[in-house]
Amino acid sequence: CCTGCGRVHDDNIFSSDPTFVKNAGGQSQLSGNFVKDGQYCAYGHLGGELSHEYGFRTDSHLKTLEKGKDEIEIIAESLCIGGRENMVNVGHRLYIIAVERNFTRGRRTNQVAAACLYIACRQENAPFLLIDFSDVLQVNVYVLGAVFLQLCKLLRLEQHSIIQKPVDPSLFIHRFTDRLLGRTAFRKQFHSISNTALQIVASMKRDWMQTGRKPSGVCGAALYISALSHGFGCTKADVVNIVHICEATLTKRLIEFENTESGSLT
């Protein structure tokens, strides 16, 4: 039905009683498809609204959904995601859609769960990269990335702004600064180092250094420069281990920043 005027466009009767048919081999199998047992919307503001349908679910189907939610909760807890309950709920709604469209067949549950949670993080601008999820699952980031892209295609999010829009490096500065300083004596300078790094990132944006580059590299260069300017003697290796890039990439970003007008400042 139309959500605006309430006009009914299609009316179907769903039976809650399972029926069985015989296949070509003479074996009995369950007939019909799984449908949603209530109304829900994963992302109402994405422009896609889901219909209100009723149907039946088997115990195994419910266990699959529960297992997916458990995996999402484990990943969210491992990453210490803020607003965890809301993130888990959004990710689980996406997981339900994935299950009903048979996306989980042939794929590991934890990888699909991670992809659903990552989409939720992207939508809420949470400071987490796909490589953070791959670290938790101990899986190659390209394997997880393939699942993420396939899920986006299933949900028709390829052209949506939350996928197409570049990730803002500023989102990760506070998290990376916190990990870099740890419990050192420079902990009291957390805000000073973070603010300087944010200003450097803003300068890089003005010089188009962010375009076509991963946010982790931009963050690493900004954080390294900021830490040294405040007297915190960190090494490139320390920054590399935190932002998950190679030292060569960090060096390239530093050289690029050095060639800008801001790079000549004292």
Side-chain angles (χ1 to χ4, degrees):
C1 64
C2 176
T3 57
C5 66
R7 178 183 176 184
V8 178
H9 293 278
D10 190 17
D11 189 11
N12 293 303
I13 298 177
F14 293 93
S15 174
S16 60
D17 298 324
T19 57
F20 295 87
V21 296
K22 288 189 176 182
N23 56 23
Q27 297 176 334
S28 296
Q29 65 180 19
L30 190 64
S31 176
N33 297 312
F34 290 111
V35 294
K36 296 174 284 294
D37 61 355
Q39 186 176 15
Y40 62 86
C41 185
Y43 286 109
H45 52 284
L46 291 187
E49 297 187 358
L50 306 176
S51 60
H52 192 176
E53 298 174 340
Y54 295 89
F56 60 88
R57 282 179 175 157
T58 63
D59 290 340
S60 61
H61 190 63
L62 292 173
K63 288 180 179 178
T64 301
L65 299 180
E66 290 174 359
K67 183 179 180 182
K69 187 172 184 178
D70 291 340
E71 291 287 352
I72 293 174
E73 289 177 341
I74 291 172
I75 297 171
E77 184 176 357
S78 299
L79 292 173
C80 298
I81 295 178
R84 188 181 309 164
E85 184 176 353
N86 178 57
M87 289 288 195
V88 169
N89 290 336
V90 173
H92 186 234
R93 289 196 291 269
L94 291 172
Y95 186 83
I96 292 174
I97 299 175
V99 171
E100 291 180 344
R101 298 188 184 180
N102 297 325
F103 183 78
T104 54
R105 290 185 181 179
R107 297 180 176 88
R108 294 184 178 275
T109 301
N110 58 357
Q111 293 180 11
V112 177
C116 293
L117 185 58
Y118 179 61
I119 293 177
C121 288
R122 288 286 293 267
Q123 196 274 330
E124 297 294 336
N125 290 325
F128 295 96
L129 297 167
L130 194 62
I131 196 170
D132 296 322
F133 289 82
S134 67
D135 283 345
V136 171
L137 301 182
Q138 292 296 296
V139 64
N140 190 298
V141 67
Y142 294 104
V143 173
L144 186 58
V147 176
F148 165 67
L149 293 176
Q150 291 164 4
L151 180 59
C152 288
K153 185 176 181 180
L154 176 76
L155 300 174
R156 298 180 181 179
L157 297 178
E158 311 104 303
Q159 303 301 322
H160 195 274
S161 59
I162 68 171
I163 304 300
Q164 291 294 321
K165 185 179 179 181
V167 179
D168 186 358
S170 303
L171 296 172
F172 305 92
I173 289 296
H174 285 89
R175 177 164 165 260
F176 288 152
T177 304
D178 181 68
R179 294 175 61 183
L180 179 65
L181 298 180
R183 297 183 179 180
T184 63
F186 284 85
R187 184 72 186 178
K188 58 185 179 181
Q189 297 190 31
F190 171 83
H191 293 292
S192 299
I193 294 176
S194 296
N195 291 336
T196 302
L198 288 171
Q199 292 173 1
I200 295 173
V201 169
S203 176
M204 291 178 172
K205 286 182 181 179
R206 289 193 294 269
D207 292 318
W208 295 88
M209 279 186 59
Q210 177 194 6
T211 306
R213 295 172 176 85
K214 294 181 179 179
S216 52
V218 175
C219 286
L223 186 57
Y224 180 69
I225 297 170
S226 176
L228 294 182
S229 67
H230 285 276
F232 181 64
C234 65
T235 64
K236 290 183 179 180
D238 295 330
V239 176
V240 164
N241 292 332
I242 291 173
V243 299
H244 300 294
I245 57 175
C246 65
E247 192 167 326
T249 301
L250 177 60
T251 303
K252 286 181 179 179
R253 298 293 89 83
L254 292 172
I255 293 174
E256 290 170 353
F257 181 71
E258 183 182 6
N259 293 330
T260 63
E261 292 184 5
S262 299
S264 61
L265 299 174
T266 61

